[in-house]
Amino acid sequence: MNNAERVQPLNNLKNRDVLTLLDFTAEEMHDLIHLAESLKEDKKSRPVYPLLEGKSLGMIFENASTRTRVSFETGMTQLGGHALFLSPRDMQIGRGEPVKDTANVLSRYVDGIMIRTNSHETVEELAAHADVPVINALTDSYHPCQALADLLTIKEHKGKLKGLKAAFVGDGNNVAHSFLIACLKAGMEASLAVPKGYEPDEEIWKEIEKTAEHHQASLTLTHSPQEAVQGADVIYTDVWASMGFEEEQGAREKDFSGFQINETLCADADSSFIFMHCLPAHRGEEVSAGIIDGIHSVVYDEAENRLHAQKALLASIM
């Protein structure tokens, strides 16, 4: 099979919005990961693959970003397209223009819209009124692009997805929501360990449970990190105080005592486990330096794979 045959966008995803992975089938996710693998391999010999030649992506950022901005902007360049960075300070939406108006106007200019914002309802409203695909690049509820990159990373390092056990230890936040959904749809066993009071959003957890049931996958919610990581092939964590919760840092440090991913906790995992973190990380808080900088860590591969997974997504929906 030559490169042109391998690197083909998924036509069944054309013009699809990407708000959460709940809207994707297991097969569609599998195909996206396969396309991402092909694009990553092809990049070694062909830095620019013009699948989106002449197309533009509008990127709305309400929050600061390193990996999201650079990976999407670079991805569009490598696909032959163009990306425009749009901050609220530079747009009328930052001065109160209705989301509906922004959606309709941008649809006349660009071929896709990516947004990183706080409220998930903003993304849903944008998608409802836009005539081009809308990508959720992070909200307070979901982080689907990160989860796709996570699956790509796990498959690279473990050679498979189905049958593995993944443990998320920490806050039941947006990253945890999307990671669990992705793992369950991929046929993995998933466990989530959170301190009391930091459980996932109740309505989203119901959807996660439905996902587990539909895919006949094991799902566990516990307050014991030791229980969650027992025999785990993948251990994942995030910062204890995510963006927007910085004022709770002190209280969260107390509440999350015992939830640090360190050598002692990881002794209960599979001996060949991999450690994952969406970054940025706080060494000495949610993870010890010995783990994140040690032989089990794949955090930089994970960060790189944001680029390749998002290229597969962009090429397919745009």
Side-chain angles (χ1 to χ4, degrees):
M1 182 181 296
N2 61 38
N3 287 349
E5 291 172 329
R6 278 193 311 109
V7 184
Q8 289 295 324
L10 309 179
N11 291 327
N12 57 313
L13 298 185
K14 188 175 181 180
N15 295 323
R16 284 269 293 273
D17 294 321
V18 185
L19 307 188
T20 117
L21 293 182
L22 291 169
D23 301 326
F24 286 74
T25 67
E27 183 179 7
E28 288 169 341
M29 282 178 31
H30 174 272
D31 290 343
L32 277 170
I33 297 304
H34 180 70
L35 177 57
E37 289 175 319
S38 298
L39 285 166
K40 185 173 183 177
E41 177 63 27
D42 194 68
K43 183 177 177 291
K44 297 175 183 177
S45 59
R46 191 172 184 179
V48 178
Y49 205 106
L51 297 172
L52 296 181
E53 188 172 9
K55 297 201 172 187
S56 296
L57 175 71
M59 306 191 305
I60 303 174
F61 283 89
E62 289 190 2
N63 296 314
S65 167
T66 298
R67 282 150 291 276
T68 298
R69 177 179 178 179
V70 176
S71 59
F72 268 107
E73 194 163 333
T74 302
M76 281 299 294
T77 299
Q78 292 179 1
L79 291 171
H82 176 64
L84 300 95
F85 174 78
L86 307 169
S87 78
R89 296 185 301 274
D90 305 320
M91 300 177 64
Q92 296 301 328
I93 195 172
R95 298 174 60 198
E97 181 176 63
V99 174
K100 174 183 177 180
D101 291 352
T102 298
N104 278 288
V105 170
L106 287 182
S107 295
R108 306 295 180 98
Y109 298 144
V110 300
D111 303 282
I113 302 170
M114 181 233 81
I115 180 169
R116 179 185 175 107
T117 184
N118 294 318
S119 171
H120 192 71
E121 287 71 25
T122 299
V123 177
E124 293 177 327
E125 185 178 1
L126 190 68
H129 295 288
D131 294 325
V132 296
V134 171
I135 301 171
N136 170 12
L138 181 143
T139 65
D140 53 8
S141 298
Y142 298 101
H143 200 351
C145 296
Q146 178 67 56
L148 285 174
D150 296 337
L151 289 188
L152 174 58
T153 307
I154 296 169
K155 188 178 180 187
E156 281 182 344
H157 284 271
K158 290 295 183 180
K160 64 176 184 177
L161 294 171
K162 190 173 183 179
L164 297 176
K165 177 181 178 180
F168 190 103
V169 178
D171 191 9
N173 60 11
N174 48 4
V175 176
H177 293 160
S178 291
F179 181 68
L180 293 172
I181 292 167
C183 289
L184 294 168
K185 288 198 172 195
M188 299 170 65
E189 176 183 349
S191 59
L192 172 65
V194 299
K196 291 181 180 179
Y198 293 91
E199 292 82 4
D201 176 270
E202 187 175 337
E203 291 305 312
I204 294 177
W205 183 251
K206 289 179 182 178
E207 294 299 326
I208 293 172
E209 289 183 314
K210 290 179 185 177
T211 301
E213 182 179 356
H214 179 75
H215 293 279
Q216 299 181 323
S218 174
L219 172 66
T220 302
L221 175 61
T222 178
H223 298 301
S224 168
Q226 291 76 19
E227 178 185 350
V229 305
Q230 187 70 43
D233 301 288
V234 180
I235 299 177
Y236 201 125
T237 194
D238 191 8
V239 294
W240 289 342
S242 299
M243 190 177 296
F245 294 93
E246 292 87 353
E247 73 281 359
E248 299 179 11
Q249 179 69 33
R252 284 177 175 246
E253 286 180 10
K254 294 179 181 178
D255 294 342
F256 282 82
S257 176
F259 280 77
Q260 184 187 85
I261 306 300
N262 53 37
E263 291 81 351
T264 301
L265 181 64
C266 292
D268 292 326
D270 183 84
S271 59
S272 61
F273 80 93
I274 58 173
F275 170 74
M276 304 182 73
H277 193 304
C278 57
L279 301 180
H282 298 159
R283 288 164 174 80
E285 291 184 18
E286 74 273 8
V287 60
S288 69
I291 292 295
I292 193 171
D293 298 321
I295 61 173
H296 295 280
S297 178
V298 298
V299 297
Y300 299 131
D301 291 340
E302 182 184 4
E304 178 191 345
N305 282 337
R306 288 288 301 277
L307 171 65
H308 308 298
Q310 289 160 189
K311 283 170 66 177
L313 204 58
L314 289 166
S316 296
I317 68 172
M318 288 173 61

